Amino acid sequence: MRFLTAILLLAAVIPSYAQTADNYSAVSTARFLDLNYGGNKDFVQEYDGRQNSGMETDLEVAGVKDNTYLDFELQGINGPSYNGYVDVNFGSSLRVRGNFKNLVHRPAFRTTALLEDGRFVEHGSMTLVNQSKRPGGLFNRTESEAQLMYYVPESRGARLIAGYWQEYEAGTTYNRYNSSVLNIGYVDRQTSELSMGVYTPLAEGAMSADLTHRRFVDSADYNGIALGTTAPRAPDLRMNLVDMRFRTGSDAVVPMTAALSARTRTNTENGYTSHAYSATLGAAYKPTKKTYVTARAYGRTVGTDENRSFIIRYGNTTKAWGVSGGPHAEIDRYNLAGDLKARYIYSDKLRFKAGYKYENNYRKNTNEYSFEGEVGDNQNGIKRFYDGVTFSTGSQNNVPAVQDTRNTASAGFEISLPLDMDLDVGYTKMTANHAVFNGTSDDSDKGEATLIMPLPARLTLVVTAGYAAEKNKRDQQNRMRSRQNSYQTALEWAGTSRFSAGANYAYEQNSTHADNYWGFNSTGMIHIPQAFSRYENNVIGLHARWELPRGFSLAGNGSYIISRGQLTDNLNVLGVANRYSAAEVRFAPTDVRIARGAVALTYLPPGHKDLSCRLGYRRDMWIDKVYFMNSGWASTVDLSASAKF
Amino acid sequence: MKMKKISWIAAAFALIVPFRTASAETATPVGSDTCIACHAERGESFKASLHNKKITVTKKVEADKACETCHGPGSLHAAAAGDKTNPGFATIRNPSKTDPKETSKICFTCHNNKDNMLWNTSAHAANGLTCTKCHSVHNGKGPKNLKLSANDTCYQCHTRQKADANLPSHHPLAEGKMECVSCHNPHGGPLGNLKAESVNETCFKCHSEKAGPWTTEHPPVAEACTVCHKPHGSVNEALLKQPMPYLCLTCHKSDHDIKITKEAVPAGSLNKFSAQTRQRCTNCHREIHGTDGRATFKN
């Protein structure tokens, strides 16, 4: 009996051999790159670690043989950013797949500087001016994943899944402490994840369940600078997750879905453990042929078990639990949300949509941060700023809201207009009884409209306009309000069978006002009403493709971005000695131009479609109008040849 | 009278029965060769597709039956020989034109896994999208059979995010090192279209060093990463919504006096030297995402 059982089990795992025709294909590409660059590489090549010219190769293999399917791809071999992918199916029962990729990241250094009355004032003692003294930051990020799947025979896709995922980062980055010296920080950290899962049909529906264990370890050497009393942080963080999902069959009158998860996170250094539980339930209903309704409910709780025996090690204090400035309980959160979406097809030319979302959030242990805890011009318990603004003791703080309820309603329509035009319009309104923080909103309005317009000569124009306004109506301390306008337009020319082109433009502008407060001792206490922060972006893109005679084709694309930002504070307070002499100071100004362009000539020999050659040129430029030391450019000429077997 | 009534009923039945018989005829499989006889181009594209390569191995579907696995039995459609007025012509299934629910049912026959478990109640499904809006069995690219590249598929509708991905501070989508689906599940997730059940858990997959739990947490970090960051792209460094110190000052007061002078200053206040360093708050408050160290987040 056992022998028979073993035979049956063995037969279940050995894939049966169906009548399939063996076939395969392979593509091999060799590529030579000639790299040139100038200036600062940190911004223009933020995600490109290429340092020198060199050769790279790509390899793709796919095929079927003896009831086994293989798909394998490796790109950028010998380059800094290589990636690979493999997918193997052994019959219908076993599947192995994996992928990996390597990214080199230059953590762009941000100079700290001010614009004082239009004059750029950098840090007086910084060594930035001398480019050769930049220590350089460059770190590798490698991500890899492998999965093994066993499909249970004759089970409509039931399977067991085992997986491993890993992320490893190592190298150097910039660090700025309370110092004039630009320093190096080290990166050496790894996250690894092991998971086991099962998927199975359930009647007409299905369910899945996964167990995941993840561990993060930071092993970086510590560059102890400036703050002196610190010790290296070497966190070892663990995470466990149970995730379950369900769905009914699509044929059900009301198809339903559900998801449950339980997650714990542990910090082995301080002994804290957090627990998070979430549940989602969804249903879709089509009461008539023209109406579609979806409803979802979501709930989540997060709570932390604090290790009260852990006392703050660092700094100048060792305080008891719960004492102001000492260790305290972390915020526990309870979130509940429900949303309803409806779509009504009035006719072929007109469709309506509407939605409503309700959210209720509750937070426990929201600790106090008293806003006016400083010593200042103190008369009868009132804190007074130089412009006369006052807050009575205990009246202002920036503690997160203990409870907030948000209602979000949306409505819109899609209409087909004459001349084959389509218009899509939507509006969303949110109101809340409290903002979560002083700097977040309790009231917002958003509107967006998109017009698609076919034009003569195979042109298509798309225009989108959007508007968003957010404000915190109830807070009298920061009085935050923000407005954003955005426009996008794209013109595509389907052209001929040999030529196509397109252009697109996007504009976005955001203005935010909020009161700023500065001050520490008796001569401090400056209130800047409605300090102003603004940014504006213009993005232009172009692309074209031209099929030339005799197997040649020419393709190009490019983009140009103008990005500006400013934060203005008027720190020249009349009557106060030793302030800025300038009326206006701009912190962290941004004014960059980013230009990217690429063109490539490809040759496919007529009669030899398995061969191809490519000559390409790419140039990227980063021009910093505020601080020239951030500017740089990089160009690459690449010559590659591919053969398909 | 009785005979006349019976004759009338019989005549009516004679008219009804043949009609009912014709419409009750069901289609049967005819084989891929019959399909390709008219749809040669489709047949060629399918031969080169990932579906054709895998379906015979993983689903043990013979090549001869591949077309009708998705399109349904084609005998009545083939018999109509292109005559659209023939009721049998429309009996063939066209996943790109059927009701979204019907299309997903066709695809779910084989493509059933954890990632698309929540599709029926997802935002994309609620907006009437079907599998064939993004995927193409015949002409798809890559292992996911997308009509366009992974990010370009999303950018067809999500144009704002496309523009944001080109801003000075951005995740490496434009460089091809990351995809929209690194964070999002277009088939629906537990919270909107995110892969995880919260914003933070989505971010912590790659940014594990921020996860904690910490002895001293920074409340906006614990609330949601998006309180301070714009993950699709930003003008400001580190994907921040606003530059420092403005972002910090929307909740905090700067405890640093701004007495700016070249002369000696009292202890505890700043001079211009320090203001130029400290106006970027995280120069000193480095562990702003949470720390086991001092509550000032300096270490």
Side-chain angles (χ1 to χ4, degrees):
Chain A
M1 188 60 191
R2 285 183 193 169
F3 181 73
L4 182 61
T5 307
I7 292 291
L8 287 171
L9 284 172
L10 203 58
V13 299
I14 294 174
S16 64
Y17 285 81
Q19 292 291 322
T20 61
D22 293 350
N23 64 80
Y24 72 96
S25 67
V27 180
S28 174
T29 305
R31 187 163 51 246
F32 171 73
L33 297 110
D34 179 35
L35 171 70
N36 288 287
Y37 56 85
N40 189 340
K41 285 186 284 188
D42 286 356
F43 293 88
V44 72
Q45 288 187 294
E46 184 179 2
Y47 294 111
D48 184 351
R50 197 165 288 133
Q51 304 271 53
N52 305 297
S53 304
M55 287 282 301
E56 289 178 7
T57 53
D58 302 337
L59 181 65
E60 293 174 42
V61 175
V64 176
K65 183 170 176 58
D66 294 340
N67 208 38
T68 300
Y69 171 82
L70 166 71
D71 190 357
F72 170 80
E73 199 172 297
L74 203 56
Q75 290 184 333
I77 305 169
N78 199 44
S81 299
Y82 49 86
N83 61 84
Y85 163 85
V86 64
D87 185 7
V88 186
N89 288 90
F90 298 97
S92 58
S93 294
L94 205 60
R95 183 181 186 186
V96 176
R97 66 178 180 185
N99 64 76
F100 64 92
K101 52 190 169 192
N102 189 68
L103 164 75
V104 182
H105 187 199
R106 299 175 197 276
F109 169 73
R110 290 276 169 156
T111 184
T112 52
L114 306 169
L115 270 184
E116 192 177 337
D117 249 359
R119 186 170 65 90
F120 184 79
V121 180
E122 64 173 357
H123 196 298
S125 306
M126 281 300 298
T127 56
L128 270 178
V129 177
N130 187 341
Q131 182 73 8
S132 64
K133 288 188 182 176
R134 257 178 194 258
L138 200 76
F139 69 84
N140 246 31
R141 180 183 181 273
T142 304
E143 184 180 337
S144 47
E145 182 176 23
Q147 268 190 336
L148 175 68
M149 283 177 260
Y150 171 68
Y151 291 78
V152 179
E154 309 300 330
S155 65
R156 294 191 293 137
R159 71 201 78 141
L160 301 169
I161 307 155
Y164 178 76
W165 177 86
Q166 177 180 287
E167 176 195 53
Y168 180 56
E169 294 176 310
T172 56
T173 182
Y174 291 115
N175 258 327
R176 287 285 307 278
Y177 300 110
N178 179 16
S179 164
S180 62
V181 179
L182 178 61
N183 286 292
I184 277 293
Y186 300 107
V187 177
D188 185 354
R189 52 192 182 218
Q190 177 168 307
T191 308
S192 47
E193 182 179 289
L194 207 57
S195 61
M196 299 285 293
V198 61
Y199 169 91
T200 181
L202 283 179
E204 294 304 312
M207 73 152 271
S208 70
D210 290 89
L211 287 170
T212 304
H213 173 73
R214 188 186 300 164
R215 186 178 179 194
F216 167 79
V217 175
D218 191 333
S219 309
D221 289 338
Y222 183 72
N223 187 354
I225 303 170
L227 294 178
T229 54
T230 62
R233 289 186 66 215
D236 183 341
L237 309 175
R238 316 275 174 96
M239 190 278 295
N240 292 303
L241 168 68
V242 176
D243 181 291
M244 298 179 72
R245 300 189 187 186
F246 307 87
R247 68 170 174 86
T248 61
S250 299
D251 265 349
V253 174
V254 182
M256 297 185 70
T257 61
L260 299 168
S261 73
R263 194 188 290 259
T264 62
R265 284 192 173 275
T266 303
N267 182 339
T268 58
E269 192 171 336
N270 62 18
Y272 280 34
T273 300
S274 70
H275 304 271
Y277 304 97
S278 74
T280 305
L281 184 65
Y285 181 47
K286 201 172 176 182
T288 70
K289 274 190 181 175
K290 296 192 171 190
T291 314
Y292 190 79
V293 179
T294 310
R296 284 169 64 111
Y298 170 85
R300 185 166 189 253
T301 73
V302 184
T304 303
D305 294 334
E306 295 86 3
N307 177 7
R308 296 195 175 194
S309 64
F310 183 85
I311 297 187
I312 294 175
R313 297 181 207 157
Y314 311 120
N316 58 7
T317 175
T318 304
K319 294 193 175 179
W321 183 268
V323 172
S324 176
H328 48 253
E330 302 307 300
I331 299 175
D332 295 341
R333 289 171 169 75
Y334 306 88
N335 311 110
L336 201 61
D339 75 80
L340 197 64
K341 285 190 178 117
R343 191 161 48 88
Y344 176 62
I345 303 170
Y346 179 78
S347 70
D348 284 343
K349 292 189 182 295
L350 183 59
R351 292 166 291 279
F352 295 99
K353 49 191 176 183
Y356 172 71
K357 184 174 179 181
Y358 170 85
E359 292 172 81
N360 193 340
N361 304 300
Y362 175 74
R363 296 167 192 86
K364 196 173 146 193
N365 309 320
T366 52
N367 302 289
E368 289 279 332
Y369 175 80
S370 176
F371 183 78
E372 70 288 358
E374 76 288 355
V375 175
D377 177 11
N378 187 357
Q379 294 180 351
N380 301 316
I382 294 173
K383 307 300 178 187
R384 187 186 304 279
F385 288 80
Y386 275 101
D387 64 351
V389 164
T390 60
F391 298 114
S392 53
T393 305
S395 67
Q396 298 292 332
N397 59 63
N398 63 354
V399 66
V402 172
Q403 185 276 336
D404 71 285
T405 302
R406 287 180 231 179
N407 293 279
T408 308
S410 61
F413 63 88
E414 300 162 25
I415 186 168
S416 297
L417 299 168
L419 303 177
D420 284 332
M421 293 191 290
D422 289 306
L423 177 67
D424 187 342
V425 176
Y427 170 73
T428 304
K429 173 78 185 175
M430 186 280 287
T431 59
N433 62 343
H434 297 288
V436 183
F437 302 102
N438 293 342
T440 55
S441 66
D442 59 12
D443 187 285
S444 73
D445 295 88
K446 289 180 190 170
E448 190 165 279
T450 299
L451 179 67
I452 301 172
M453 194 186 321
L455 299 171
R458 304 188 71 188
L459 286 163
T460 305
L461 178 68
V462 179
V463 179
T464 301
Y467 172 80
E470 294 183 347
K471 55 180 175 277
N472 189 330
K473 290 194 302 192
R474 291 166 182 79
D475 170 60
Q476 295 305 309
Q477 177 182 307
N478 291 95
R479 301 187 298 160
M480 186 280 289
R481 57 188 178 88
S482 173
R483 282 193 178 78
Q484 180 161 309
N485 301 307
S486 61
Y487 309 100
Q488 290 122 44
T489 182
L491 185 65
E492 290 292 329
W493 182 39
T496 65
S497 58
R498 289 190 164 272
F499 187 81
S500 62
N504 55 77
Y505 171 71
Y507 171 80
E508 179 187 45
Q509 181 257 330
N510 176 289
S511 302
T512 302
H513 294 82
D515 290 15
N516 282 180
Y517 297 87
W518 300 79
F520 180 72
N521 60 25
S522 59
T523 56
M525 309 290 287
I526 289 180
H527 167 241
I528 312 253
Q530 297 292 275
F532 179 54
S533 171
R534 182 177 187 275
Y535 66 77
E536 182 182 82
N537 298 307
N538 291 269
V539 181
I540 301 164
L542 296 164
H543 66 92
R545 184 172 184 88
W546 189 8
E547 299 291 333
L548 300 165
R550 301 186 189 279
F552 286 94
S553 64
L554 188 66
N557 63 78
S559 64
Y560 186 69
I561 298 144
I562 303 169
S563 188
R564 295 194 188 100
Q566 67 183 64
L567 155 62
T568 306
D569 263 358
N570 186 344
L571 300 175
N572 180 19
V573 178
L574 294 177
V576 178
N578 296 325
R579 299 299 163 193
Y580 274 105
S581 57
E584 183 183 271
V585 174
R586 296 190 180 189
F587 290 99
T590 302
D591 192 349
V592 297
R593 311 281 183 272
I594 307 169
R596 303 190 193 279
V599 62
L601 180 69
T602 305
Y603 176 57
L604 289 161
H608 296 278
K609 290 193 175 171
D610 294 341
L611 301 173
S612 68
C613 288
R614 182 180 181 277
L615 176 66
Y617 176 75
R618 181 185 175 91
R619 188 173 178 101
D620 298 284
M621 299 173 66
W622 182 292
I623 303 157
D624 193 322
K625 295 284 197 179
V626 171
Y627 190 57
F628 74 98
M629 292 296 290
N630 290 335
S631 301
W633 63 270
S635 70
T636 311
V637 174
D638 73 271
L639 179 63
S640 63
S642 287
K644 188 173 176 181
F645 306 96
Chain B
M1 192 65 178
K2 194 175 177 181
M3 281 301 292
K4 260 189 166 174
K5 192 176 176 183
I6 292 171
S7 299
W8 180 82
I9 292 170
F13 189 70
L15 282 171
I16 292 167
V17 167
F19 180 78
R20 290 188 62 234
T21 301
S23 65
E25 189 179 352
T26 53
T28 55
V30 293
S32 298
D33 286 342
T34 305
C35 308
I36 292 169
C38 294
H39 302 285
E41 198 181 313
R42 286 294 193 186
E44 284 303 309
S45 63
F46 184 76
K47 263 190 202 172
S49 73
L50 183 63
H51 265 90
N52 182 48
K53 290 175 190 170
K54 290 192 84 171
I55 202 169
T56 51
V57 171
T58 60
K59 300 297 174 190
K60 292 194 221 162
V61 172
E62 293 171 20
D64 184 48
K65 294 184 171 48
C67 302
E68 290 165 297
T69 302
C70 295
H71 292 287
S75 61
L76 295 180
H77 176 77
D83 178 9
K84 292 183 184 176
T85 62
N86 186 317
F89 181 86
T91 56
I92 202 73
R93 284 193 307 211
N94 187 342
S96 63
K97 291 180 183 170
T98 54
D99 180 81
K101 204 170 158 182
E102 283 301 310
T103 304
S104 55
K105 192 181 163 192
I106 295 170
C107 304
F108 279 178
T109 307
C110 296
H111 296 284
N112 40 27
N113 53 52
K114 173 191 168 186
D115 285 341
N116 60 22
M117 191 74 76
L118 308 180
W119 167 256
N120 286 329
T121 54
S122 67
H124 279 146
N127 278 300
L129 268 67
T130 68
C131 311
T132 52
K133 172 73 178 173
C134 302
H135 299 279
S136 171
V137 168
H138 288 268
N139 301 303
K141 300 177 178 55
K144 300 296 181 187
N145 271 327
L146 293 170
K147 288 181 175 177
L148 302 170
S149 71
N151 294 344
D152 285 340
T153 301
C154 307
Y155 291 156
Q156 288 179 99
C157 299
H158 300 284
T159 53
R160 171 82 61 77
Q161 285 74 10
K162 178 182 180 180
D164 285 350
N166 284 303
L167 292 178
S169 178
H170 57 273
H171 278 108
L173 276 84
E175 289 83 356
K177 306 294 195 289
M178 205 171 148
E179 296 170 341
C180 307
V181 295
S182 302
C183 303
H184 294 283
N185 182 350
H187 306 110
L191 178 67
N193 61 355
L194 293 177
K195 282 188 139 175
E197 74 276 16
S198 73
V199 167
N200 283 20
E201 292 299 341
T202 303
C203 306
F204 289 160
K205 168 94 186 217
C206 295
H207 300 285
S208 295
E209 71 279 6
K210 314 279 192 294
W214 308 114
T215 308
T216 308
E217 69 178 2
H218 192 200
V221 175
E223 183 71 22
C225 306
T226 47
V227 171
C228 298
H229 294 282
K230 282 179 67 188
H232 296 117
S234 174
V235 168
N236 310 299
E237 65 169 312
L239 297 168
L240 292 174
K241 284 182 168 177
Q242 299 288 344
M244 289 179 275
Y246 192 89
L247 177 68
C248 314
L249 293 182
T250 55
C251 287
H252 295 280
K253 169 181 54 59
S254 171
D255 280 337
H256 304 294
D257 183 17
I258 55 162
K259 184 186 295 181
I260 309 298
T261 176
K262 290 182 183 175
E263 292 84 25
V265 296
S269 66
L270 295 184
N271 56 18
K272 200 171 194 173
F273 171 98
S274 294
Q276 287 163 348
T277 312
R278 288 176 173 175
Q279 56 91 13
R280 186 172 176 268
C281 309
T282 52
N283 279 352
C284 296
H285 300 280
R286 288 175 293 133
E287 305 299 343
I288 204 61
H289 295 99
T291 178
D292 293 337
R294 293 193 280 177
T296 51
F297 299 100
K298 287 180 180 176
N299 57 6

